[in-house]
């Protein structure tokens, strides 16, 4: 009895208190990927993991970083802030990663940003759009991906050229409010008439808000939808049902009309809807971008989405930074990232810092935005046409 | 515009009534608060979706299919998990029911994420054309949902008034002991009533599935509306549920338009709060 108790205690101490073998050996540099893998947008999470694995494979094939192999460590944030915080804390404390990438949902990343800053480990954002993420001016948060205010700014020339009265329907969360407030501000500055209405993100009946817009005079000619959750597909559907659209054009603030659920819910009524996107056949890729696209297609048999390009850039930037500063210590890496000058997949990446309040802090600003229109539908999906630029 | 708002308020109000009436029935016969009521709405929606997409059923088959499945599920839940309320001597049966149904809510929601996936789905439109009522264009799906909800609520009211079983349920609502003495099998009537209540929630979910679409988490809002309807209409009152549903639907729609759409859900809470404070028995309930 006594012997078995001692044995159990010994095993407990071994498993709980001893560091993992990888960390003891110190023969690899660990790169953390915290991303949704089981719930939330786990499909994008899978692409995130695949992208990082491919980038690390290429780096290791060329000798690794600082003479060591890069090792990918993954954790599931379930698309939930609480789970995301635990996953990140665990990754930093237990796995001793040099940096973290793959963060996805804005609401989760907002909670994780504080952890990364507090634990002094750099985190890089490739497709989390909330302005708040870089507005805190943390030295440990870098973003290669776009952000809300930038998207509004890039879409404004198209809106200004074609419309005089616009409506913005937005979720009252960090993503929706941030986008709507900024677009309203810059559109009004251009002399446009703007109606802006918020709604709770869990709402499924948006007809009260749409009826309010229907009663406005002058009538809005464009409805911009800033949503991520339940109402993404419901707003266009319900706008059509009450007769607000198609007379009023619909512009989705990101490319959810390319997702299968949009076609299932709207069917042929979705034709005519427009959306902002970073994906385009006309997206200019650098030689590195072409190389990554080819390698991704060869390995996974699909063309990588645009966010994979930004994530790939981030891994390459981290490797380049560690080589440049001759250190994989998280604090050194965070400081070194500031001086990045990297020819990425879609352009030269540098991180801008604008003093004073605002999201331009450790932020790359060289994105290309496109506006597409759904023109027809058949069994294979929607046909689309690029209408801007 | 006012006419359009009122017509829309009536159609959504009738669906609220259908949700609320099921909860009122369950509360009357079993004297429990069912936190999982919204989950039967969600399951009903998914059953109609699969019946229409996989089996190719039209709505007149897919909605009854959803009702049958949710009836069976509700009856099984009562038999396995809720029946101890009347088969065992329990000090606090209401607490037991609260905990059990809250657990069921979490269980069904997680199960739905695993089984149905996290993404939104929508069955094909039940009625593809629009309908004009007094010159107002309303989608055929909304008119169908409102009309079928009204038929089901009125049908239930007639069933309860005219049939032996319905009288038994009324007797149980008034006095369980008295009903027992007069030959009502409380155990049997409980699982049937639970099944019917869940089938009504399932019907509501199936009817509005093409309007609001489906996801595993859609049960929360209808649950809240059901409680609002029950509190306004009066515990256990079917006529009260119908009137309360209509009141809630119309007031919410008008309030959202004329005051602010941001307060749409707050309007229901305010109405419920008003009744709980100044008329706790509701519109048709007894003191």
């Amino acid at each position: 009895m006594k012997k078995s108790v001692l044995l159990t205690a010994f095993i407990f101490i071994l498993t709980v208190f001893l560091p993992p073998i990888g960390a003891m050996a110190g023969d690899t540099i660990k790169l953390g990927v915290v991303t949704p893998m089981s719930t939330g947008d786990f499909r994008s999470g899978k692409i995130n993991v695949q992208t990082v694995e491919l980038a690390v494979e290429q780096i290791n094939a060329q000798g690794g970083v600082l003479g060591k192999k890069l090792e990918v460590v993954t954790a599931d944030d379930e698309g939930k802030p609480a789970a995301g915080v635990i996953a990140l804390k665990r990754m930093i404390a237990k796995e001793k990663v040099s940096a973290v990438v793959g963060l996805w949902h804005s609401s989760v990343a907002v909670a994780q940003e504080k952890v990364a800053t507090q634990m002094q480990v750099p985190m890089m954002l490739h497709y989390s759009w909330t302005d708040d993420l870089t507005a805190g001016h943390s030295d440990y948060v870098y973003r290669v991906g776009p952000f809300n205010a930038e998207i509004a700014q890039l879409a404004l020339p198209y809106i200004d050229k074609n419309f005089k009265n616009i409506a913005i329907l937005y979720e009252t969360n960090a993503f929706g409010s941030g986008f709507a407030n900024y677009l309203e501000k810059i559109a009004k500055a251009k002399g446009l008439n703007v109606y802006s209405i918020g709604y709770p993100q869990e709402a499924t009946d948006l007809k009260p808000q749409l009826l309010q817009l229907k009663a406005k005079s002058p009538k809005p000619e464009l409805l911009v939808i800033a949503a991520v959750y339940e109402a993404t597909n419901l707003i266009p559907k319900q706008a059509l049902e009450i007769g607000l659209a198609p007379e009023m054009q619909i512009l989705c603030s990101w490319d959810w009309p390319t997702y299968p659920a949009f076609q299932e819910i709207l069917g042929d009524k979705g034709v005519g809807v427009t959306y902002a996107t970073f994906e385009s056949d006309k997206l200019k890729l650098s030689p590195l971008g072409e190389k990554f696209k080819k390698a991704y297609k060869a390995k996974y048999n699909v063309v990588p989405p645009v966010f994979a390009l930004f994530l790939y850039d981030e891994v390459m930037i981290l490797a380049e930074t560690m080589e440049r500063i001759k250190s994989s210590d998280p604090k050194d890496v965070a400081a070194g990232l500031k001086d990045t000058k990297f020819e990425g997949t879609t352009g030269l990446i540098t991180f801008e810092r604008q003093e004073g309040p605002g999201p331009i802090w450790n932020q790359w600003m060289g994105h290309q935005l496109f506006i597409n229109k759904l023109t027809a539908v058949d069994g294979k999906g929607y046909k689309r046409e690029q209408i801007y630029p | 515009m006012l006419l359009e708002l009122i017509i829309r308020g009536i159609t959504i109000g009738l669906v609220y009534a259908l949700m609320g009436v099921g909860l009122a029935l369950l509360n009357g016969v079993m004297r429990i608060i069912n936190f999982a009521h919204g989950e039967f709405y969600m399951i009903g929606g998914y059953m109609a979706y699969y019946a229409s997409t996989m089996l190719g059923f039209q709505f007149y088959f897919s909605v009854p299919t959803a009702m049958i499945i949710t009836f069976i599920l509700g009856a099984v839940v009562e038999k396995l998990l809720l029946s101890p309320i009347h088969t065992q001597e329990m000090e606090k049966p209401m607490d037991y029911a609260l905990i059990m149904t809250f657990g069921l809510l979490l269980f069904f929601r997680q199960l739905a994420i695993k089984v149905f996936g996290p993404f939104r789905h929508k069955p094909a439109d039940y009625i593809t054309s629009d309908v004009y009522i007094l010159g107002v264009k309303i989608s055929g799906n909304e008119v169908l949902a409102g009309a079928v909800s009204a038929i089901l609520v009125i049908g239930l009211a007639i069933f309860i008034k005219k049939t032996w079983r319905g009288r038994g349920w009324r007797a149980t609502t008034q006095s369980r002991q008295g009903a027992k003495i007069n030959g009502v099998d409380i155990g049997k009537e409980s699982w049937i009533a639970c099944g019917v209540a869940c089938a009504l929630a399932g019907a509501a979910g199936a009817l509005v599935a093409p309007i609001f679409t489906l996801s595993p988490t859609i049960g929360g809002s209808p649950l809240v509306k059901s409680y609002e309807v029950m509190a306004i209409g009066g515990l256990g009152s079917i006529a009260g549920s119908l009137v309360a549903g209509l009141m809630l639907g119309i007031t919410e729609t008008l309030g959202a338009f004329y005051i602010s759409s941001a307060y749409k859900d707050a309007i229901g809470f305010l109405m419920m709060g008003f009744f709980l404070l100044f008329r706790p028995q509701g519109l048709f309930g007894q003191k």
Side-chain angles (χ1 to χ4, degrees):
Chain A
M1 176 69 184
K2 201 176 171 185
K3 208 172 168 183
S4 67
V5 170
L6 279 174
L7 189 65
T8 310
F10 178 68
I11 292 168
F12 177 78
I13 289 164
L14 266 185
T15 48
V16 173
F17 295 106
L18 281 189
I21 289 163
M24 269 202 305
D27 53 355
T28 60
I29 294 171
K30 290 188 178 180
L31 178 63
V33 183
V34 182
T35 202
M37 291 162 78
S38 57
T39 54
D41 188 4
F42 61 89
R43 291 181 190 183
S44 299
K46 187 181 169 194
I47 296 170
N48 291 340
V49 174
Q50 287 177 337
T51 302
V52 177
E53 282 175 349
L54 174 62
V56 167
E57 204 176 286
Q58 289 180 352
I59 292 165
N60 286 341
Q62 292 185 342
V65 177
L66 301 171
K68 295 179 182 179
K69 295 273 181 204
L70 262 185
E71 183 187 342
V72 181
V73 187
T74 58
D76 181 12
D77 69 20
E78 300 170 29
K80 296 172 188 160
V85 164
I86 292 168
L88 183 61
K89 278 186 176 173
R90 193 178 161 81
M91 177 154 288
I92 295 171
K94 203 178 168 204
E95 301 290 350
K96 312 280 183 212
V97 291
S98 293
V100 182
V101 294
L103 307 141
W104 189 250
H105 294 281
S106 281
S107 54
V108 183
V110 164
Q112 289 167 325
E113 177 255 320
K114 290 171 183 65
V115 175
T117 304
Q118 198 184 17
M119 298 179 86
Q120 299 181 313
V121 171
M123 66 180 243
M124 299 190 79
L125 304 157
H126 66 290
Y127 223 53
S128 305
W129 292 357
T130 300
D131 292 2
D132 295 355
L133 284 164
T134 46
H137 292 197
S138 165
D139 288 334
Y140 292 88
V141 180
Y142 285 80
R143 180 157 50 191
V144 168
F147 61 105
N148 267 336
E150 184 195 18
I151 297 163
Q153 188 77 56
L154 291 170
L156 185 66
Y158 164 75
I159 296 170
D160 183 40
K161 192 180 159 193
N162 297 289
F163 309 97
K164 286 282 161 252
N165 303 289
I166 69 163
I168 310 168
L169 204 48
Y170 65 95
E171 285 171 359
T172 49
N173 56 19
F175 170 81
S177 303
F179 180 89
N181 292 342
Y182 191 77
L183 180 60
E184 184 178 359
K185 193 174 93 179
I186 58 174
K188 279 184 173 168
K190 282 269 183 188
L192 296 177
N193 178 32
V194 183
Y195 307 112
S196 193
I197 300 179
Y199 64 88
Q201 68 183 32
E202 64 279 5
T204 53
D205 181 11
L206 279 304
K207 283 185 180 163
Q209 288 85 347
L210 291 165
L211 286 168
Q212 280 186 320
L213 292 176
K214 196 180 173 186
K216 296 281 185 199
S217 181
K219 282 192 185 308
E221 300 129 22
L222 174 75
L223 171 64
V224 183
I225 306 168
V228 180
Y229 289 92
E230 308 287 358
T232 44
N233 301 322
L234 290 172
I235 294 173
K237 178 179 180 290
Q238 292 174 6
L240 285 156
E241 281 172 359
I242 66 163
L244 192 58
E247 194 187 334
M248 178 195 64
Q249 193 186 103
I250 291 172
L251 173 62
C252 304
S253 63
W254 57 280
D255 47 11
W256 74 80
T258 59
Y259 287 32
F262 185 86
Q263 191 180 349
E264 184 182 328
I265 290 169
L266 275 109
D268 57 359
K269 288 175 184 166
V271 172
V273 168
T274 60
Y275 60 92
T277 180
F278 292 94
E279 301 272 5
S280 171
D281 296 337
K282 291 176 186 166
L283 177 70
K284 287 179 207 132
L285 292 185
S286 67
L288 181 71
E290 293 293 354
K291 185 185 146 199
F292 166 66
K293 196 174 162 184
K294 206 173 150 191
Y296 191 96
K297 190 152 189 251
K299 189 169 166 73
Y300 302 118
N301 209 25
V302 284
V303 176
V306 71
F307 64 82
L309 295 168
F310 301 143
L311 180 56
Y312 180 80
D313 283 335
E314 289 183 347
V315 180
M316 292 300 170
I317 287 169
L318 283 166
E320 188 269 342
T321 305
M322 290 181 209
E323 286 288 1
R324 176 163 45 83
I325 62 170
K326 306 281 178 235
S327 170
S328 60
D329 179 77
K331 270 198 236 179
D332 297 340
V333 174
L337 281 170
K338 199 171 53 169
D339 302 318
T340 295
K341 216 173 208 179
F342 180 78
E343 195 59 58
T345 53
T346 58
L348 179 68
I349 297 173
T350 57
F351 292 113
E352 289 191 32
R353 285 186 168 192
Q354 263 180 23
E355 295 297 337
I360 302 175
W361 189 263
N362 295 339
Q363 172 69 50
W364 182 48
M365 300 286 288
H367 303 101
Q368 305 162 51
L369 183 82
F370 306 91
I371 294 180
N372 287 355
K373 185 177 187 176
L374 302 177
T375 53
V377 65
D378 58 23
K380 288 177 191 165
Y382 290 107
K383 288 188 171 52
R384 44 189 175 247
E385 176 196 349
Q386 187 180 306
I387 56 171
Y388 175 83
Chain B
M1 184 54 78
L2 179 65
L3 187 64
E4 181 171 358
L5 293 169
I6 292 172
I7 291 171
R8 288 187 191 284
I10 290 172
T11 53
I12 193 72
L14 287 167
V15 179
Y16 289 168
L18 183 59
M19 283 297 293
V21 86
L23 206 61
L25 174 67
L26 204 60
N27 184 266
V29 177
M30 292 183 68
R31 309 222 171 136
I32 62 163
I33 295 291
N34 179 14
F35 273 129
H37 198 59
E39 304 317 298
F40 289 96
Y41 166 96
M42 177 267 291
I43 293 166
Y46 273 107
M47 292 305 109
Y49 168 74
Y50 286 113
S52 72
T53 53
M54 291 173 74
L55 305 174
F57 284 3
Q58 295 293 316
F59 79 88
Y60 40 82
F61 284 128
S62 62
V63 175
T65 303
M67 289 181 72
I68 291 166
I69 293 171
T70 43
F71 174 87
I72 294 168
L73 195 60
V76 170
V77 162
E78 199 282 337
K79 271 283 184 199
L80 293 180
L81 303 170
L82 300 175
S83 57
I85 294 167
H86 46 79
T87 55
Q88 293 174 19
E89 279 298 315
M90 233 178 237
E91 200 178 320
K92 291 180 177 173
M94 183 62 102
D95 291 2
Y96 171 87
L98 280 177
I99 294 164
M100 188 56 80
T101 57
F102 189 70
L104 272 175
L105 179 154
L106 298 175
F107 171 74
F108 280 135
R109 197 166 284 188
Q110 291 305 317
L111 188 68
I113 291 170
K114 292 275 178 218
V115 176
F116 306 133
F119 300 105
R120 282 208 162 259
H121 291 290
K122 173 187 166 288
D125 287 332
Y126 295 150
I127 295 180
T128 49
S129 56
D130 295 320
V131 176
Y132 286 85
I133 301 173
L134 301 170
V136 176
K137 184 182 144 190
I138 306 280
S139 85
N141 289 323
E142 280 182 66
V143 175
L144 179 79
V148 176
S149 297
I151 291 167
L152 287 173
V153 173
I154 294 167
L156 181 72
I158 293 170
F159 178 83
I160 286 177
K161 199 165 176 63
K162 300 283 183 191
T163 64
W164 183 90
R165 171 149 286 134
R167 280 190 216 107
W169 288 353
R170 274 159 59 204
T172 312
T173 304
Q174 286 164 12
S175 163
R176 284 173 82 88
Q177 207 54 40
K180 220 180 212 176
I181 291 164
N182 283 286
V184 176
D185 182 344
I186 300 287
K188 187 178 171 190
E189 295 313 316
S190 287
W191 72 255
I192 294 173
C194 188
V196 170
C198 294
L200 293 174
L207 286 167
V208 299
I211 304 169
F212 299 133
T213 69
L214 297 163
S215 84
T217 55
I218 54 168
S221 176
L223 175 70
V224 173
K225 300 297 174 203
S226 309
Y227 279 105
E228 287 169 1
V229 165
M230 201 171 71
I232 297 166
L235 292 175
S237 166
I238 289 171
S241 297
L242 182 60
V243 176
L246 288 170
M247 266 176 69
L248 188 63
I250 294 169
T251 316
E252 264 190 6
T253 310
L254 290 177
F257 186 83
Y258 289 110
I259 302 169
S260 167
S261 53
Y263 301 126
K264 179 174 168 268
D265 291 329
I267 291 162
F269 276 118
L270 279 176
M271 285 176 70
M272 184 169 73
F274 176 84
F275 274 90
L276 289 175
L277 281 172
F278 301 108
R279 194 177 163 81
Q281 72 272 33
L283 287 170
F284 292 80
Q286 291 168 349
K287 270 191 177 174

